[in-house]
Amino acid sequence: MKKLNAEILNEYGPYQGAEAVHGVTFDGKRVWFASGDKLNAIDPDSTKPVDSINISAEAGTAFDGRHLFQIANDKIQKLDPTTGQVLATIPAPDGSSGLAWAEGSLWVGQYQKRKIVQLDPQTGEVLRDIESNRYVTGVTWLNGELWHGTWEDDNSELRRLNPQSGEVIDSFAMPQGTGVSGLESDGRDRFFCGGGNSGKLRVVRCIRD
Amino acid sequence: MESQIREAAEALAIGDPLAALNRVALRDDPSALALRGIAMAQLGEFDRARVLLRGAVRAFGPKQLLARARCIVAEAEIALASRDLGWPVKALNEAQQTLEKHGDQLNAVYARYVGARRLLLIGQPDKAAQEVDADNPASLPPALETIRELIISGIAIRRLEVRRARSALKQAERSSHEARIPALVAEVANVIESLELPAARLITQRCERYVLLDEVEELMSSKAFIVDACRHSVRLDGQVVSLVTRPVLFTLLRVMAEAWPDDVSRDELVARAFRAKGVDESYRARLRVEIGRLRRLLKPLAKVRATSQGFVLEPVGARKVVVLAMPIEEKHGVVLALLSDGECWSSSAIALALNWGQRSVQRALDALASEEKVCSFGRGRARRWRIPPMPGFATILLLPAALPVD
């Protein structure tokens, strides 16, 4: 296994009043990331900020094809991504961190409690509480490499794994003290990493020989 | 587009269905359908998962063998998770061969493990062991390694090899943390925890107490004469006599074992074994016949001696007699033990796992439902049964053998 360094191409933030980078979602054109008091849109090609919505954005972000959903404290706000207007607000379960829209429902991850809650996106009604205490369907769709961010005691790495064996092929060390939380790749050689509590979003490139 | 498929696949591989759905929830191409199906399964939405995966199989078309085989394995695993044990094993085996032929070693191993887990659930640990021993890939990814060790521990538990189960679980714990999949970490932790719960009751004339599985294992290799009410058999020095098909004889034996070294009166034996209120001559005659049958069955291990009052059990070598019973005993305790895994079972899966007839299962379920010990939802073939898990007992560990319901 080779030990290589990850090159940080860009850092955004920290934003004023933002303690951390939270949810990251990709709407097909832009990467949206939540940074405490804003939703920021970045053009993945130029890595430049192209838009932002001033809104409390402390946790997960999701997209249903037309609207953005953003967790903010004890509520989930439904936004028009073009105008930034809040169209509706529904209550969020306690301790919500992750968010996704799928199959007509909102799915909220309460990672501390190891629970996922299914919500009606219209009313916020809790349809189901899912305990994640049993692992189902590990059938893998991976043909190529598997990237995995690790972060322990202030040392973090981006690792490339062989999905067939789980073996670490390369590991790219991030500079000391830069964390990895949430990993989004642009499908080529760049990653968007949430910087955890640093409040930064980093664009990282891992160069292999 | 392709990058999103890959990212969703990566997210699913590390057990993060929400991140996966953020990539593919809005797409209807075959790969996206399959990934949505797998994500829904990870969220426990089995019905929706099934629909999506079947849609994916149709959309892939007959030429895309590899993709279709993956969908079939995922569907088989969903059937397993929803305790629908009657799904076609043949389709899973074919899918496994396809995966092997096309070099998808990882999913091929996974398919084999799905089959092994099903065998374990329907009480065939030896067959499950063959599946796990069949291949020993040098290095599996941590998640797959965890599942392998979970199966090995399950087999060991069924065989009452607790030390072996614990060492497999230790390994599973390590690799589940490496895999960093919360649901997998929790699943391993639950099994480890269950080994610290009472698995049975030990009953002698003098006392009755709960025991852990380790003690059950120790007992089995001890010199005691064991009347095993969990699996309706008798053990002495490694010899086993099964009374699974002889419930009346087993009851007589158990009553005498609980009274040992004292005898039990004829009246009490009649009352307990034949559930008769008053005892007349015809019952006494029937008792004589049944005791005669029991004597023949127990011949190498114990005698049944007549006393002035009734009968007394005398194991060879005047060994200590103990009765091993389920931690919670009731009429349909075996069904409850099976359901105590907290999953939703179909009645046909219960019949398969206990080796009962469908009608006996239905009767047991109806009785339990009338006492509000189980509940059902869905209709017809989609009907599922479950119980609120019974806290504090590991009823599942000593799953009984097939037992006829009279």
Side-chain angles (χ1 to χ4, degrees), chain A residues 23-33 42-45 61-64 68 184-187 192, chain B residues 1 3-4 7 19 21-24 26:
Chain A
V24 183
T25 197
F26 186 59
D27 73 5
K29 291 201 289 285
R30 297 165 297 185
V31 174
W32 288 89
F33 71 96
I42 291 183
D43 177 322
D45 290 323
T61 312
F63 183 67
D64 74 355
L68 284 165
E184 300 270 321
S185 115
D186 69 348
F192 300 90
Chain B
M1 286 306 255
S3 71
Q4 286 187 40
E7 282 167 40
L21 289 167
N22 268 320
R23 312 292 191 291
V24 293
L26 299 164

PDB file of all heavy atoms in Angstrom, chain A residues 23-33 42-45 61-64 68 184-187 192, chain B residues 1 3-4 7 19 21-24 26:
ATOM      1  N   GLY A  23     -24.824  18.692   5.859  1.00  0.00           N
ATOM      2  CA  GLY A  23     -25.296  17.914   4.717  1.00  0.00           C
ATOM      3  C   GLY A  23     -24.697  18.377   3.394  1.00  0.00           C
ATOM      4  O   GLY A  23     -24.429  19.553   3.193  1.00  0.00           O
ATOM      5  N   VAL A  24     -24.464  17.417   2.534  1.00  0.00           N
ATOM      6  CA  VAL A  24     -23.980  17.719   1.182  1.00  0.00           C
ATOM      7  C   VAL A  24     -24.893  16.973   0.222  1.00  0.00           C
ATOM      8  O   VAL A  24     -25.164  15.792   0.413  1.00  0.00           O
ATOM      9  CB  VAL A  24     -22.529  17.216   0.989  1.00  0.00           C
ATOM     10  CG1 VAL A  24     -22.007  17.599  -0.387  1.00  0.00           C
ATOM     11  CG2 VAL A  24     -21.612  17.770   2.064  1.00  0.00           C
ATOM     12  N   THR A  25     -25.410  17.649  -0.787  1.00  0.00           N
ATOM     13  CA  THR A  25     -26.208  16.937  -1.783  1.00  0.00           C
ATOM     14  C   THR A  25     -25.885  17.481  -3.158  1.00  0.00           C
ATOM     15  O   THR A  25     -25.362  18.578  -3.313  1.00  0.00           O
ATOM     16  CB  THR A  25     -27.728  17.015  -1.466  1.00  0.00           C
ATOM     17  OG1 THR A  25     -28.391  16.005  -2.218  1.00  0.00           O
ATOM     18  CG2 THR A  25     -28.327  18.362  -1.831  1.00  0.00           C
ATOM     19  N   PHE A  26     -26.177  16.690  -4.173  1.00  0.00           N
ATOM     20  CA  PHE A  26     -25.810  17.025  -5.535  1.00  0.00           C
ATOM     21  C   PHE A  26     -27.095  17.045  -6.343  1.00  0.00           C
ATOM     22  O   PHE A  26     -27.804  16.045  -6.371  1.00  0.00           O
ATOM     23  CB  PHE A  26     -24.846  15.936  -6.045  1.00  0.00           C
ATOM     24  CG  PHE A  26     -24.259  16.213  -7.394  1.00  0.00           C
ATOM     25  CD1 PHE A  26     -23.502  17.355  -7.616  1.00  0.00           C
ATOM     26  CD2 PHE A  26     -24.429  15.314  -8.428  1.00  0.00           C
ATOM     27  CE1 PHE A  26     -22.932  17.605  -8.862  1.00  0.00           C
ATOM     28  CE2 PHE A  26     -23.867  15.542  -9.676  1.00  0.00           C
ATOM     29  CZ  PHE A  26     -23.116  16.695  -9.895  1.00  0.00           C
ATOM     30  N   ASP A  27     -27.450  18.186  -6.944  1.00  0.00           N
ATOM     31  CA  ASP A  27     -28.735  18.229  -7.640  1.00  0.00           C
ATOM     32  C   ASP A  27     -28.596  17.959  -9.143  1.00  0.00           C
ATOM     33  O   ASP A  27     -29.484  18.272  -9.919  1.00  0.00           O
ATOM     34  CB  ASP A  27     -29.467  19.556  -7.371  1.00  0.00           C
ATOM     35  CG  ASP A  27     -28.828  20.738  -8.094  1.00  0.00           C
ATOM     36  OD1 ASP A  27     -27.879  20.516  -8.883  1.00  0.00           O
ATOM     37  OD2 ASP A  27     -29.270  21.876  -7.871  1.00  0.00           O
ATOM     38  N   GLY A  28     -27.468  17.393  -9.525  1.00  0.00           N
ATOM     39  CA  GLY A  28     -27.269  17.083 -10.934  1.00  0.00           C
ATOM     40  C   GLY A  28     -26.415  18.147 -11.607  1.00  0.00           C
ATOM     41  O   GLY A  28     -25.696  17.880 -12.563  1.00  0.00           O
ATOM     42  N   LYS A  29     -26.512  19.364 -11.097  1.00  0.00           N
ATOM     43  CA  LYS A  29     -25.702  20.445 -11.679  1.00  0.00           C
ATOM     44  C   LYS A  29     -24.753  21.037 -10.641  1.00  0.00           C
ATOM     45  O   LYS A  29     -23.628  21.373 -10.954  1.00  0.00           O
ATOM     46  CB  LYS A  29     -26.626  21.554 -12.194  1.00  0.00           C
ATOM     47  CG  LYS A  29     -27.451  21.138 -13.414  1.00  0.00           C
ATOM     48  CD  LYS A  29     -27.964  22.335 -14.205  1.00  0.00           C
ATOM     49  CE  LYS A  29     -29.059  23.092 -13.445  1.00  0.00           C
ATOM     50  NZ  LYS A  29     -30.360  22.365 -13.453  1.00  0.00           N
ATOM     51  N   ARG A  30     -25.260  21.152  -9.433  1.00  0.00           N
ATOM     52  CA  ARG A  30     -24.470  21.831  -8.416  1.00  0.00           C
ATOM     53  C   ARG A  30     -24.373  20.995  -7.146  1.00  0.00           C
ATOM     54  O   ARG A  30     -25.276  20.227  -6.845  1.00  0.00           O
ATOM     55  CB  ARG A  30     -25.137  23.175  -8.062  1.00  0.00           C
ATOM     56  CG  ARG A  30     -25.177  24.116  -9.229  1.00  0.00           C
ATOM     57  CD  ARG A  30     -26.130  25.262  -8.985  1.00  0.00           C
ATOM     58  NE  ARG A  30     -27.513  24.807  -8.838  1.00  0.00           N
ATOM     59  CZ  ARG A  30     -28.564  25.625  -8.716  1.00  0.00           C
ATOM     60  NH1 ARG A  30     -28.385  26.925  -8.719  1.00  0.00           N
ATOM     61  NH2 ARG A  30     -29.774  25.144  -8.587  1.00  0.00           N
ATOM     62  N   VAL A  31     -23.259  21.199  -6.458  1.00  0.00           N
ATOM     63  CA  VAL A  31     -23.123  20.590  -5.132  1.00  0.00           C
ATOM     64  C   VAL A  31     -23.646  21.593  -4.113  1.00  0.00           C
ATOM     65  O   VAL A  31     -23.228  22.744  -4.095  1.00  0.00           O
ATOM     66  CB  VAL A  31     -21.644  20.263  -4.810  1.00  0.00           C
ATOM     67  CG1 VAL A  31     -21.510  19.769  -3.370  1.00  0.00           C
ATOM     68  CG2 VAL A  31     -21.102  19.228  -5.772  1.00  0.00           C
ATOM     69  N   TRP A  32     -24.576  21.136  -3.309  1.00  0.00           N
ATOM     70  CA  TRP A  32     -25.088  22.005  -2.245  1.00  0.00           C
ATOM     71  C   TRP A  32     -24.518  21.526  -0.927  1.00  0.00           C
ATOM     72  O   TRP A  32     -24.487  20.339  -0.664  1.00  0.00           O
ATOM     73  CB  TRP A  32     -26.619  21.902  -2.165  1.00  0.00           C
ATOM     74  CG  TRP A  32     -27.334  22.556  -3.295  1.00  0.00           C
ATOM     75  CD1 TRP A  32     -27.672  21.970  -4.484  1.00  0.00           C
ATOM     76  CD2 TRP A  32     -27.802  23.909  -3.353  1.00  0.00           C
ATOM     77  NE1 TRP A  32     -28.328  22.873  -5.281  1.00  0.00           N
ATOM     78  CE2 TRP A  32     -28.422  24.073  -4.612  1.00  0.00           C
ATOM     79  CE3 TRP A  32     -27.753  24.983  -2.468  1.00  0.00           C
ATOM     80  CZ2 TRP A  32     -29.005  25.278  -5.005  1.00  0.00           C
ATOM     81  CZ3 TRP A  32     -28.332  26.195  -2.857  1.00  0.00           C
ATOM     82  CH2 TRP A  32     -28.947  26.332  -4.118  1.00  0.00           C
ATOM     83  N   PHE A  33     -24.046  22.431  -0.121  1.00  0.00           N
ATOM     84  CA  PHE A  33     -23.648  21.999   1.211  1.00  0.00           C
ATOM     85  C   PHE A  33     -24.149  22.974   2.261  1.00  0.00           C
ATOM     86  O   PHE A  33     -24.239  24.176   2.025  1.00  0.00           O
ATOM     87  CB  PHE A  33     -22.143  21.752   1.315  1.00  0.00           C
ATOM     88  CG  PHE A  33     -21.290  22.988   1.289  1.00  0.00           C
ATOM     89  CD1 PHE A  33     -20.861  23.563   2.470  1.00  0.00           C
ATOM     90  CD2 PHE A  33     -20.902  23.551   0.076  1.00  0.00           C
ATOM     91  CE1 PHE A  33     -20.054  24.690   2.445  1.00  0.00           C
ATOM     92  CE2 PHE A  33     -20.099  24.675   0.051  1.00  0.00           C
ATOM     93  CZ  PHE A  33     -19.671  25.252   1.231  1.00  0.00           C
ATOM     94  N   ILE A  42     -22.114  25.073  -5.232  1.00  0.00           N
ATOM     95  CA  ILE A  42     -20.816  25.194  -5.884  1.00  0.00           C
ATOM     96  C   ILE A  42     -20.906  24.559  -7.250  1.00  0.00           C
ATOM     97  O   ILE A  42     -21.524  23.511  -7.417  1.00  0.00           O
ATOM     98  CB  ILE A  42     -19.757  24.445  -5.051  1.00  0.00           C
ATOM     99  CG1 ILE A  42     -19.538  25.197  -3.753  1.00  0.00           C
ATOM    100  CG2 ILE A  42     -18.452  24.305  -5.795  1.00  0.00           C
ATOM    101  CD1 ILE A  42     -18.472  24.589  -2.925  1.00  0.00           C
ATOM    102  N   ASP A  43     -20.281  25.182  -8.201  1.00  0.00           N
ATOM    103  CA  ASP A  43     -20.162  24.564  -9.508  1.00  0.00           C
ATOM    104  C   ASP A  43     -19.010  23.568  -9.422  1.00  0.00           C
ATOM    105  O   ASP A  43     -17.881  23.961  -9.145  1.00  0.00           O
ATOM    106  CB  ASP A  43     -19.851  25.652 -10.545  1.00  0.00           C
ATOM    107  CG  ASP A  43     -19.643  25.062 -11.925  1.00  0.00           C
ATOM    108  OD1 ASP A  43     -19.043  23.962 -12.041  1.00  0.00           O
ATOM    109  OD2 ASP A  43     -20.088  25.679 -12.893  1.00  0.00           O
ATOM    110  N   PRO A  44     -19.296  22.291  -9.641  1.00  0.00           N
ATOM    111  CA  PRO A  44     -18.241  21.302  -9.430  1.00  0.00           C
ATOM    112  C   PRO A  44     -17.089  21.435 -10.423  1.00  0.00           C
ATOM    113  O   PRO A  44     -15.988  20.990 -10.142  1.00  0.00           O
ATOM    114  CB  PRO A  44     -18.952  19.963  -9.576  1.00  0.00           C
ATOM    115  CG  PRO A  44     -20.233  20.243 -10.236  1.00  0.00           C
ATOM    116  CD  PRO A  44     -20.569  21.691 -10.028  1.00  0.00           C
ATOM    117  N   ASP A  45     -17.341  22.037 -11.573  1.00  0.00           N
ATOM    118  CA  ASP A  45     -16.251  22.183 -12.545  1.00  0.00           C
ATOM    119  C   ASP A  45     -15.306  23.305 -12.173  1.00  0.00           C
ATOM    120  O   ASP A  45     -14.091  23.134 -12.155  1.00  0.00           O
ATOM    121  CB  ASP A  45     -16.811  22.404 -13.952  1.00  0.00           C
ATOM    122  CG  ASP A  45     -17.472  21.133 -14.462  1.00  0.00           C
ATOM    123  OD1 ASP A  45     -16.925  20.045 -14.157  1.00  0.00           O
ATOM    124  OD2 ASP A  45     -18.516  21.222 -15.126  1.00  0.00           O
ATOM    125  N   THR A  61     -29.200  17.627   4.020  1.00  0.00           N
ATOM    126  CA  THR A  61     -29.816  18.310   2.892  1.00  0.00           C
ATOM    127  C   THR A  61     -30.303  17.248   1.907  1.00  0.00           C
ATOM    128  O   THR A  61     -29.637  16.238   1.734  1.00  0.00           O
ATOM    129  CB  THR A  61     -28.762  19.199   2.187  1.00  0.00           C
ATOM    130  OG1 THR A  61     -28.071  19.952   3.179  1.00  0.00           O
ATOM    131  CG2 THR A  61     -29.389  20.137   1.185  1.00  0.00           C
ATOM    132  N   ALA A  62     -31.468  17.490   1.286  1.00  0.00           N
ATOM    133  CA  ALA A  62     -31.970  16.522   0.304  1.00  0.00           C
ATOM    134  C   ALA A  62     -32.634  17.260  -0.848  1.00  0.00           C
ATOM    135  O   ALA A  62     -32.922  18.460  -0.753  1.00  0.00           O
ATOM    136  CB  ALA A  62     -32.961  15.562   0.963  1.00  0.00           C
ATOM    137  N   PHE A  63     -32.890  16.542  -1.929  1.00  0.00           N
ATOM    138  CA  PHE A  63     -33.460  17.145  -3.137  1.00  0.00           C
ATOM    139  C   PHE A  63     -34.474  16.173  -3.725  1.00  0.00           C
ATOM    140  O   PHE A  63     -34.165  14.999  -3.900  1.00  0.00           O
ATOM    141  CB  PHE A  63     -32.316  17.414  -4.124  1.00  0.00           C
ATOM    142  CG  PHE A  63     -32.735  18.106  -5.384  1.00  0.00           C
ATOM    143  CD1 PHE A  63     -33.189  19.422  -5.348  1.00  0.00           C
ATOM    144  CD2 PHE A  63     -32.652  17.462  -6.615  1.00  0.00           C
ATOM    145  CE1 PHE A  63     -33.570  20.076  -6.516  1.00  0.00           C
ATOM    146  CE2 PHE A  63     -33.027  18.105  -7.787  1.00  0.00           C
ATOM    147  CZ  PHE A  63     -33.480  19.420  -7.735  1.00  0.00           C
ATOM    148  N   ASP A  64     -35.688  16.639  -3.981  1.00  0.00           N
ATOM    149  CA  ASP A  64     -36.715  15.721  -4.489  1.00  0.00           C
ATOM    150  C   ASP A  64     -36.964  15.887  -5.985  1.00  0.00           C
ATOM    151  O   ASP A  64     -37.964  15.413  -6.511  1.00  0.00           O
ATOM    152  CB  ASP A  64     -38.029  15.864  -3.702  1.00  0.00           C
ATOM    153  CG  ASP A  64     -38.778  17.149  -4.053  1.00  0.00           C
ATOM    154  OD1 ASP A  64     -38.227  17.970  -4.829  1.00  0.00           O
ATOM    155  OD2 ASP A  64     -39.899  17.337  -3.553  1.00  0.00           O
ATOM    156  N   LEU A  68     -35.397  21.716  -2.544  1.00  0.00           N
ATOM    157  CA  LEU A  68     -34.393  21.304  -1.570  1.00  0.00           C
ATOM    158  C   LEU A  68     -35.072  21.168  -0.214  1.00  0.00           C
ATOM    159  O   LEU A  68     -36.007  21.908   0.098  1.00  0.00           O
ATOM    160  CB  LEU A  68     -33.288  22.370  -1.455  1.00  0.00           C
ATOM    161  CG  LEU A  68     -32.268  22.439  -2.586  1.00  0.00           C
ATOM    162  CD1 LEU A  68     -31.494  23.747  -2.505  1.00  0.00           C
ATOM    163  CD2 LEU A  68     -31.309  21.254  -2.519  1.00  0.00           C
ATOM    164  N   GLU A 184     -18.023  13.457  -1.054  1.00  0.00           N
ATOM    165  CA  GLU A 184     -18.750  13.472  -2.323  1.00  0.00           C
ATOM    166  C   GLU A 184     -17.699  13.488  -3.403  1.00  0.00           C
ATOM    167  O   GLU A 184     -16.794  14.310  -3.367  1.00  0.00           O
ATOM    168  CB  GLU A 184     -19.553  14.774  -2.460  1.00  0.00           C
ATOM    169  CG  GLU A 184     -20.563  14.979  -1.398  1.00  0.00           C
ATOM    170  CD  GLU A 184     -21.885  14.372  -1.805  1.00  0.00           C
ATOM    171  OE1 GLU A 184     -22.253  14.467  -2.976  1.00  0.00           O
ATOM    172  OE2 GLU A 184     -22.541  13.790  -0.941  1.00  0.00           O
ATOM    173  N   SER A 185     -17.828  12.607  -4.376  1.00  0.00           N
ATOM    174  CA  SER A 185     -16.835  12.672  -5.434  1.00  0.00           C
ATOM    175  C   SER A 185     -17.499  13.288  -6.654  1.00  0.00           C
ATOM    176  O   SER A 185     -18.714  13.267  -6.792  1.00  0.00           O
ATOM    177  CB  SER A 185     -16.319  11.268  -5.727  1.00  0.00           C
ATOM    178  OG  SER A 185     -16.662  10.872  -7.012  1.00  0.00           O
ATOM    179  N   ASP A 186     -16.706  13.861  -7.526  1.00  0.00           N
ATOM    180  CA  ASP A 186     -17.300  14.417  -8.736  1.00  0.00           C
ATOM    181  C   ASP A 186     -17.284  13.367  -9.835  1.00  0.00           C
ATOM    182  O   ASP A 186     -17.516  13.649 -10.990  1.00  0.00           O
ATOM    183  CB  ASP A 186     -16.560  15.687  -9.173  1.00  0.00           C
ATOM    184  CG  ASP A 186     -15.154  15.373  -9.678  1.00  0.00           C
ATOM    185  OD1 ASP A 186     -14.703  14.231  -9.469  1.00  0.00           O
ATOM    186  OD2 ASP A 186     -14.540  16.264 -10.277  1.00  0.00           O
ATOM    187  N   GLY A 187     -16.939  12.131  -9.460  1.00  0.00           N
ATOM    188  CA  GLY A 187     -16.947  11.038 -10.419  1.00  0.00           C
ATOM    189  C   GLY A 187     -15.641  10.947 -11.177  1.00  0.00           C
ATOM    190  O   GLY A 187     -15.440  10.054 -11.981  1.00  0.00           O
ATOM    191  N   PHE A 192     -15.342  16.244  -2.628  1.00  0.00           N
ATOM    192  CA  PHE A 192     -15.790  17.342  -1.777  1.00  0.00           C
ATOM    193  C   PHE A 192     -15.914  16.760  -0.387  1.00  0.00           C
ATOM    194  O   PHE A 192     -16.693  15.838  -0.181  1.00  0.00           O
ATOM    195  CB  PHE A 192     -17.149  17.863  -2.252  1.00  0.00           C
ATOM    196  CG  PHE A 192     -17.104  18.375  -3.659  1.00  0.00           C
ATOM    197  CD1 PHE A 192     -17.357  17.534  -4.725  1.00  0.00           C
ATOM    198  CD2 PHE A 192     -16.771  19.697  -3.911  1.00  0.00           C
ATOM    199  CE1 PHE A 192     -17.304  18.008  -6.020  1.00  0.00           C
ATOM    200  CE2 PHE A 192     -16.710  20.167  -5.215  1.00  0.00           C
ATOM    201  CZ  PHE A 192     -16.976  19.324  -6.270  1.00  0.00           C
TER     202      PHE A 192
ATOM    203  N   MET B   1     -23.426  10.770 -14.886  1.00  0.00           N
ATOM    204  CA  MET B   1     -24.498   9.831 -14.513  1.00  0.00           C
ATOM    205  C   MET B   1     -23.911   8.578 -13.873  1.00  0.00           C
ATOM    206  O   MET B   1     -24.357   8.119 -12.840  1.00  0.00           O
ATOM    207  CB  MET B   1     -25.298   9.422 -15.760  1.00  0.00           C
ATOM    208  CG  MET B   1     -26.221  10.499 -16.278  1.00  0.00           C
ATOM    209  SD  MET B   1     -27.346  11.144 -15.024  1.00  0.00           S
ATOM    210  CE  MET B   1     -28.870  10.378 -15.509  1.00  0.00           C
ATOM    211  N   SER B   3     -21.093   8.277 -12.484  1.00  0.00           N
ATOM    212  CA  SER B   3     -20.413   8.544 -11.214  1.00  0.00           C
ATOM    213  C   SER B   3     -21.413   8.483 -10.060  1.00  0.00           C
ATOM    214  O   SER B   3     -21.075   8.069  -8.962  1.00  0.00           O
ATOM    215  CB  SER B   3     -19.739   9.906 -11.256  1.00  0.00           C
ATOM    216  OG  SER B   3     -20.705  10.930 -11.214  1.00  0.00           O
ATOM    217  N   GLN B   4     -22.652   8.886 -10.349  1.00  0.00           N
ATOM    218  CA  GLN B   4     -23.645   8.842  -9.262  1.00  0.00           C
ATOM    219  C   GLN B   4     -23.993   7.410  -8.897  1.00  0.00           C
ATOM    220  O   GLN B   4     -24.233   7.104  -7.732  1.00  0.00           O
ATOM    221  CB  GLN B   4     -24.896   9.592  -9.678  1.00  0.00           C
ATOM    222  CG  GLN B   4     -24.652  11.071  -9.663  1.00  0.00           C
ATOM    223  CD  GLN B   4     -25.933  11.819  -9.908  1.00  0.00           C
ATOM    224  OE1 GLN B   4     -26.973  11.451  -9.409  1.00  0.00           O
ATOM    225  NE2 GLN B   4     -25.835  12.869 -10.671  1.00  0.00           N
ATOM    226  N   GLU B   7     -21.155   6.282  -6.766  1.00  0.00           N
ATOM    227  CA  GLU B   7     -21.207   6.853  -5.423  1.00  0.00           C
ATOM    228  C   GLU B   7     -22.318   6.222  -4.592  1.00  0.00           C
ATOM    229  O   GLU B   7     -22.144   5.976  -3.397  1.00  0.00           O
ATOM    230  CB  GLU B   7     -21.439   8.360  -5.496  1.00  0.00           C
ATOM    231  CG  GLU B   7     -20.180   9.106  -5.847  1.00  0.00           C
ATOM    232  CD  GLU B   7     -20.493  10.532  -6.233  1.00  0.00           C
ATOM    233  OE1 GLU B   7     -21.362  11.134  -5.574  1.00  0.00           O
ATOM    234  OE2 GLU B   7     -19.892  11.026  -7.190  1.00  0.00           O
ATOM    235  N   ALA B  19     -27.338   8.478   1.970  1.00  0.00           N
ATOM    236  CA  ALA B  19     -26.400   9.071   1.017  1.00  0.00           C
ATOM    237  C   ALA B  19     -26.598   8.462  -0.364  1.00  0.00           C
ATOM    238  O   ALA B  19     -26.493   9.155  -1.382  1.00  0.00           O
ATOM    239  CB  ALA B  19     -24.962   8.868   1.499  1.00  0.00           C
ATOM    240  N   LEU B  21     -29.418   7.264  -1.597  1.00  0.00           N
ATOM    241  CA  LEU B  21     -30.671   7.775  -2.169  1.00  0.00           C
ATOM    242  C   LEU B  21     -30.518   9.215  -2.649  1.00  0.00           C
ATOM    243  O   LEU B  21     -31.162   9.616  -3.620  1.00  0.00           O
ATOM    244  CB  LEU B  21     -31.796   7.656  -1.142  1.00  0.00           C
ATOM    245  CG  LEU B  21     -32.243   6.210  -0.881  1.00  0.00           C
ATOM    246  CD1 LEU B  21     -33.120   6.133   0.349  1.00  0.00           C
ATOM    247  CD2 LEU B  21     -32.957   5.633  -2.097  1.00  0.00           C
ATOM    248  N   ASN B  22     -29.663   9.974  -2.000  1.00  0.00           N
ATOM    249  CA  ASN B  22     -29.432  11.341  -2.466  1.00  0.00           C
ATOM    250  C   ASN B  22     -28.872  11.365  -3.890  1.00  0.00           C
ATOM    251  O   ASN B  22     -28.914  12.393  -4.561  1.00  0.00           O
ATOM    252  CB  ASN B  22     -28.487  12.086  -1.515  1.00  0.00           C
ATOM    253  CG  ASN B  22     -29.263  12.835  -0.442  1.00  0.00           C
ATOM    254  OD1 ASN B  22     -30.305  13.415  -0.727  1.00  0.00           O
ATOM    255  ND2 ASN B  22     -28.769  12.815   0.786  1.00  0.00           N
ATOM    256  N   ARG B  23     -28.329  10.227  -4.356  1.00  0.00           N
ATOM    257  CA  ARG B  23     -27.787  10.163  -5.720  1.00  0.00           C
ATOM    258  C   ARG B  23     -28.765   9.597  -6.741  1.00  0.00           C
ATOM    259  O   ARG B  23     -28.751  10.001  -7.885  1.00  0.00           O
ATOM    260  CB  ARG B  23     -26.541   9.258  -5.781  1.00  0.00           C
ATOM    261  CG  ARG B  23     -25.509   9.478  -4.743  1.00  0.00           C
ATOM    262  CD  ARG B  23     -24.835  10.818  -4.935  1.00  0.00           C
ATOM    263  NE  ARG B  23     -23.657  10.954  -4.102  1.00  0.00           N
ATOM    264  CZ  ARG B  23     -23.667  11.058  -2.785  1.00  0.00           C
ATOM    265  NH1 ARG B  23     -24.799  11.014  -2.123  1.00  0.00           N
ATOM    266  NH2 ARG B  23     -22.548  11.200  -2.104  1.00  0.00           N
ATOM    267  N   VAL B  24     -29.550   8.613  -6.340  1.00  0.00           N
ATOM    268  CA  VAL B  24     -30.301   7.865  -7.355  1.00  0.00           C
ATOM    269  C   VAL B  24     -31.814   7.889  -7.175  1.00  0.00           C
ATOM    270  O   VAL B  24     -32.539   7.298  -7.981  1.00  0.00           O
ATOM    271  CB  VAL B  24     -29.840   6.383  -7.427  1.00  0.00           C
ATOM    272  CG1 VAL B  24     -28.415   6.288  -7.954  1.00  0.00           C
ATOM    273  CG2 VAL B  24     -29.977   5.696  -6.070  1.00  0.00           C
ATOM    274  N   LEU B  26     -34.026   9.857  -7.863  1.00  0.00           N
ATOM    275  CA  LEU B  26     -34.832  10.465  -8.929  1.00  0.00           C
ATOM    276  C   LEU B  26     -34.631   9.796 -10.275  1.00  0.00           C
ATOM    277  O   LEU B  26     -35.079  10.300 -11.293  1.00  0.00           O
ATOM    278  CB  LEU B  26     -34.479  11.954  -9.034  1.00  0.00           C
ATOM    279  CG  LEU B  26     -34.774  12.742  -7.753  1.00  0.00           C
ATOM    280  CD1 LEU B  26     -34.064  14.074  -7.759  1.00  0.00           C
ATOM    281  CD2 LEU B  26     -36.269  12.933  -7.597  1.00  0.00           C
TER     282      LEU B  26
END
